[in-house]
Amino acid sequence: MRSVAIIGIGQTLIDEQWDRSLRQIAAQAILATLKDAGRENAEGLFVGNMMSGTINNQNNLGTLVADWAGLKDTGAVKVEAACASGAAAFRSGLMAVASAELESALVVGVEKMTDMSAHDVTASLATAADADYESDMGVSFVGLNALIMRRYMHEYGWKHADFAPFAINAHANALHNPFARLHHEITRDDFEKATMIASPINLLDASPIGDGAAAVYIVPAESVRGKPRILVAGSASATDTIAIHDRSDPLFLTAASKTVQEAYRQAGIGPNDIDLFELHDAFTIMSALSLEAGGFTERGQGPRLGLEGQIVPKGRVPIATRGGLKARGHPVGATGVYQLVEVVQQLRGEAGETQVPDACIGMAQNIGGSGASIITHILKRE
Amino acid sequence: MRSVAIIGIGQTLIDEQWDRSLRQIAAQAILATLKDAGRENAEGLFVGNMMSGTINNQNNLGTLVADWAGLKDTGAVKVEAACASGAAAFRSGLMAVASAELESALVVGVEKMTDMSAHDVTASLATAADADYESDMGVSFVGLNALIMRRYMHEYGWKHADFAPFAINAHANALHNPFARLHHEITRDDFEKATMIASPINLLDASPIGDGAAAVYIVPAESVRGKPRILVAGSASATDTIAIHDRSDPLFLTAASKTVQEAYRQAGIGPNDIDLFELHDAFTIMSALSLEAGGFTERGQGPRLGLEGQIVPKGRVPIATRGGLKARGHPVGATGVYQLVEVVQQLRGEAGETQVPDACIGMAQNIGGSGASIITHILKRE
């Protein structure tokens, strides 16, 4: 398998973009990425998206986006793995270039979620859960995560306020990211007093939806002249049971652990070598679980990393360095590509006020469903 | 890029399977395929499906199917390219194995379409067209194909009855395929008198929907001991404009021609070397256009191949040898994998009464939208 490099990135503001269609948002990110890469076309287009069928009345999304972005002859598909669709699309593009089937690939994650009622969006998001055994019982995605968080607090003795640092760090970092959905800092007091959504998850535990697209351009590493280059050093995908009730231990992200271990193995590194970790903080509880599955702390000790100040850009394990899902925003099928774009920004030294000092190796982890579909990538500057 | 072989196939009956859920149908095809391949698991699962979001209220389909089929640790994604989703999933699996990222992959195409009203299915199928510039104007998929067929008849002087051999051949072949949706022969008289749907397309020009799944198991060719082996000799994907009105020539499948030429190039062959061609006969007009784009006849002469008896199993260019979309049935996201399974049956010499004599090289072409997303594969026995 040949090595693959990322030579271009692009993203749009995450917002309620009522004046722009799905294809326009995707094309905006693609055109920015082509410009950044110095290219005009790509042999393949991989679109990460979850809900174009349920929300936008549109399938055949690969061709739709290729057509609108002016990539007429490009082979194109949509790749879906619920909220991990972005990373799934990236991994598909990666394998296409690694196999030498393609010499270049564009990966774009896009989601347009704000043109319908909150009720309908919630129902659409629930399609990531088990339709027959979870969603049909009326449990929403917030509800599923609330069950996990409640159990976690019970088992390990944490209070709700102990999760505050995850949200505070995310908001503080998003303040300096012009593409982020939320641009306001929050305090511990704000966090504790926020509106309850599904106990114990309140408004500031949860990430906001939005309309947005992010893209990357990949080529064989051997074709990149000059250094430094941003290489894909690890890529792994694994699944767990789709329904939480089928898991023997709902408080450990087994699939996350498997993908992280495999990605570490491919890259020849361990958790101490990771300079930043863009994890899937759809809810604060997921930050804790991802840090534990990633080997950054013991089981049940995720919140401690936040309380000890280790997760900030200059800490030991920087997370959500550009705002994370919590404050950059979570346009679900696009999120995994935003994460990769942000890791590239860090490795290039283009992260401004939230730059992780001397960032050389970054990890991104995208989660679909409640820990059901997990994809982890490690990027490296060399 | 390393060579890839198909070592297992499986499929379900295409029917109205109201007593079985989407995941059950997919798992049935997967279990049959694992048995045929002599395997118990696979490193990756690629699910071809178009409408699980719009019809089955279910995204995160890769993990759902992996979970139900007992492939718990397998990385899994859904790949969507409208009605070409099956071939798109196969191509993704192919690149994963060819890149050496995976040592084995299961590809399953699945669609469950009959649990809702015909009106809602028609609306869901229309999501393969351009939502903003085609579907929103009220044009259905039959309507789009009717526009193409009407223009084709006008330009080249064919009568509607001249398309009868495509439907007659498909029904005659499906009679001997136990997995086919329709098991009755039709006559030229039946064809001419069938109920009009969208002039000039009548009921016997159109393929039936259905519930069904088909799967294949792929591995590196070098790992297969003994011969003959079924190898993937060519794979190509291309797109055209998603909307027909944007094409300078709506009567030529430009993307089909590009993929066929690329697949021929990879396989080192030409149209005369193809022993059978499983084409995308969603409507009889598409058979004509695919034969022309494939280089089997001149432009505007597709129907002649049918009238001259060249498309039957013992003819020069056998098509729809197991019934095609027309009579085997068209569970949209599954169709591309059914085509590949059927080519493998032919190359193995397991096609019974519709066996193409000494079939050694077969081509399958899957089309998403009205010629918008086209994927072509060539399989070879050696």
Side-chain angles (χ1 to χ4, degrees):
Chain A
M1 189 169 84
R2 61 182 180 175
S3 182
V4 170
I6 299 178
I7 62 165
I9 55 174
Q11 55 188 320
T12 74
L13 172 68
I14 298 175
D15 205 349
E16 295 186 6
Q17 301 199 37
W18 294 3
D19 58 335
R20 307 176 73 83
S21 69
L22 180 71
R23 72 182 89 190
Q24 288 176 315
I25 296 169
Q28 184 184 340
I30 287 173
L31 296 179
T33 302
L34 286 170
K35 188 176 176 189
D36 187 51
R39 302 288 183 111
E40 295 188 344
N41 209 340
E43 291 187 9
L45 174 67
F46 298 82
V47 180
N49 171 272
M50 173 180 166
M51 306 198 289
S52 71
T54 48
I55 288 189
N56 313 106
N57 206 26
Q58 181 73 64
N59 286 303
N60 214 357
L61 196 62
T63 299
L64 180 93
V65 171
D67 185 10
W68 195 259
L71 309 171
K72 187 174 170 185
D73 298 335
T74 304
V77 293
K78 163 177 163 174
V79 184
E80 185 267 322
C83 299
S85 298
F90 179 77
R91 187 166 149 82
S92 290
L94 172 69
M95 294 191 288
V97 174
S99 71
E101 178 71 21
L102 302 182
E103 292 302 313
S104 61
L106 259 167
V107 179
V108 63
V110 61
E111 204 80 60
K112 182 159 174 59
M113 308 171 70
T114 71
D115 281 355
M116 65 197 317
S117 72
H119 173 273
D120 287 344
V121 172
T122 301
S124 190
L125 284 166
T127 63
D130 189 314
D132 296 338
Y133 299 102
E134 290 183 325
S135 324
D136 267 13
M137 307 301 142
V139 63
S140 68
F141 240 79
V142 186
L144 287 168
N145 281 274
L147 292 170
I148 295 174
M149 187 168 179
R150 171 71 68 200
R151 183 78 198 176
Y152 184 90
M153 290 163 64
H154 172 78
E155 290 289 340
Y156 297 110
W158 296 106
K159 299 185 303 296
H160 178 259
D162 296 329
F163 293 83
F166 294 125
I168 293 169
N169 171 62
H171 277 261
N173 295 339
L175 202 60
H176 306 289
N177 177 0
F179 300 103
R181 177 93 156 94
L182 304 177
H183 286 118
H184 60 91
E185 288 192 278
I186 62 168
T187 65
R188 189 181 172 93
D189 193 52
D190 293 332
F191 182 78
E192 291 185 41
K193 292 180 179 165
T195 307
M196 185 57 68
I197 306 295
S199 178
I201 291 180
N202 74 24
L203 190 65
L204 290 180
D205 285 294
S207 56
I209 65 163
D211 307 331
V216 298
Y217 196 103
I218 56 179
V219 297
E222 67 209 24
S223 72
V224 182
R225 284 189 292 267
K227 293 196 174 184
R229 305 176 299 182
I230 308 295
L231 303 182
V232 183
S235 172
S237 170
T239 55
D240 201 338
T241 66
I242 190 163
I244 295 173
H245 60 244
D246 277 335
R247 296 182 202 153
S248 56
D249 182 354
L251 297 186
F252 187 69
L253 296 176
T254 307
S257 175
K258 283 179 182 156
T259 59
V260 167
Q261 290 305 321
E262 171 62 15
Y264 285 160
R265 191 193 64 74
Q266 291 174 8
I269 63 171
N272 290 335
D273 301 305
I274 298 292
D275 296 315
L276 72 146
F277 180 21
E278 289 301 332
L279 48 68
H280 193 91
D281 56 331
F283 303 96
T284 52
I285 178 64
M286 294 308 284
S287 295
L289 296 184
S290 289
L291 286 166
E292 295 167 23
F296 296 100
T297 185
E298 298 299 305
R299 288 196 55 174
Q301 299 307 308
R304 191 176 306 282
L305 293 180
L307 294 168
E308 293 176 354
Q310 299 192 39
I311 62 170
V312 300
K314 294 190 168 47
R316 185 174 68 90
V317 193
I319 64 173
T321 68
R322 307 295 288 154
L325 281 64
K326 174 66 199 83
R328 171 242 294 133
H330 184 27
V332 293
T335 290
V337 187
Y338 273 98
Q339 292 176 314
L340 291 160
V341 164
E342 291 161 356
V343 172
V344 172
Q345 287 183 314
Q346 289 284 2
L347 302 187
R348 284 180 175 178
E350 297 174 353
E353 306 211 29
T354 61
Q355 179 67 45
V356 172
D358 301 322
C360 180
I361 300 178
M363 185 157 72
Q365 183 173 87
N366 203 191
I367 302 183
S370 305
S373 312
I374 302 193
I375 303 173
T376 301
H377 285 101
I378 294 175
L379 306 184
K380 186 176 183 181
R381 171 171 51 87
E382 72 169 36
Chain B
M1 188 168 86
R2 61 183 180 174
S3 183
V4 170
I6 299 178
I7 62 165
I9 56 174
Q11 55 187 320
T12 74
L13 172 69
I14 299 175
D15 204 349
E16 294 185 6
Q17 302 198 38
W18 293 3
D19 59 336
R20 307 175 74 82
S21 70
L22 179 71
R23 71 182 89 188
Q24 289 176 313
I25 296 170
Q28 184 183 341
I30 287 173
L31 295 179
T33 303
L34 285 170
K35 188 176 176 190
D36 188 51
R39 301 288 183 111
E40 293 187 346
N41 208 340
E43 291 187 9
L45 174 68
F46 298 83
V47 180
N49 172 273
M50 174 179 164
M51 306 196 291
S52 71
T54 47
I55 288 188
N56 313 107
N57 206 27
Q58 182 71 66
N59 286 304
N60 214 358
L61 197 62
T63 299
L64 180 92
V65 171
D67 186 11
W68 195 258
L71 309 170
K72 186 174 169 185
D73 298 335
T74 304
V77 292
K78 163 178 163 174
V79 184
E80 186 267 321
C83 298
S85 298
F90 180 78
R91 187 167 150 80
S92 291
L94 172 70
M95 294 190 289
V97 174
S99 71
E101 179 72 21
L102 302 181
E103 292 302 312
S104 61
L106 259 167
V107 179
V108 63
V110 61
E111 204 81 59
K112 182 158 175 60
M113 308 170 71
T114 71
D115 281 355
M116 67 198 316
S117 72
H119 173 271
D120 286 343
V121 173
T122 301
S124 189
L125 284 166
T127 63
D130 188 315
D132 296 337
Y133 299 100
E134 290 182 325
S135 323
D136 267 13
M137 307 301 143
V139 64
S140 69
F141 240 79
V142 186
L144 286 168
N145 280 273
L147 292 170
I148 295 174
M149 187 168 180
R150 171 69 69 202
R151 183 76 198 178
Y152 184 89
M153 290 164 65
H154 171 79
E155 290 290 339
Y156 298 111
W158 297 105
K159 299 185 302 294
H160 178 260
D162 296 328
F163 292 83
F166 293 124
I168 293 169
N169 171 62
H171 276 261
N173 295 338
L175 202 60
H176 306 288
N177 177 1
F179 300 102
R181 177 91 156 98
L182 304 177
H183 286 117
H184 60 90
E185 288 192 279
I186 62 167
T187 65
R188 188 181 172 91
D189 193 50
D190 293 332
F191 183 79
E192 291 186 41
K193 291 179 179 166
T195 306
M196 185 58 68
I197 307 293
S199 176
I201 291 180
N202 74 24
L203 191 65
L204 291 179
D205 285 294
S207 55
I209 65 164
D211 307 330
V216 299
Y217 196 102
I218 57 179
V219 297
E222 66 210 24
S223 71
V224 182
R225 285 188 291 268
K227 295 196 173 183
R229 304 176 301 182
I230 308 295
L231 303 181
V232 183
S235 172
S237 169
T239 56
D240 201 339
T241 65
I242 190 163
I244 295 173
H245 59 244
D246 278 335
R247 296 182 201 153
S248 56
D249 182 355
L251 298 185
F252 187 69
L253 296 176
T254 306
S257 175
K258 283 179 183 157
T259 59
V260 168
Q261 290 304 321
E262 172 62 16
Y264 285 159
R265 190 193 64 74
Q266 291 174 8
I269 62 171
N272 290 335
D273 300 304
I274 298 292
D275 295 315
L276 73 145
F277 180 21
E278 290 301 334
L279 47 68
H280 194 91
D281 55 330
F283 302 95
T284 52
I285 178 65
M286 294 308 284
S287 295
L289 296 184
S290 289
L291 286 165
E292 295 167 22
F296 296 100
T297 184
E298 297 299 307
R299 288 197 53 174
Q301 299 306 307
R304 191 176 305 282
L305 293 180
L307 295 168
E308 292 175 356
Q310 299 191 38
I311 61 170
V312 299
K314 294 190 169 47
R316 185 173 69 88
V317 192
I319 64 172
T321 68
R322 308 295 288 154
L325 281 64
K326 175 67 199 82
R328 171 241 295 134
H330 184 27
V332 294
T335 291
V337 186
Y338 272 98
Q339 293 176 313
L340 291 160
V341 164
E342 292 161 357
V343 171
V344 172
Q345 288 183 314
Q346 288 284 0
L347 301 188
R348 284 180 175 179
E350 297 174 353
E353 304 211 31
T354 62
Q355 179 67 47
V356 172
D358 301 321
C360 180
I361 301 178
M363 185 157 71
Q365 184 172 88
N366 203 191
I367 302 182
S370 305
S373 311
I374 302 192
I375 302 173
T376 300
H377 285 101
I378 293 175
L379 305 184
K380 187 175 183 180
R381 170 169 54 84
E382 71 167 38

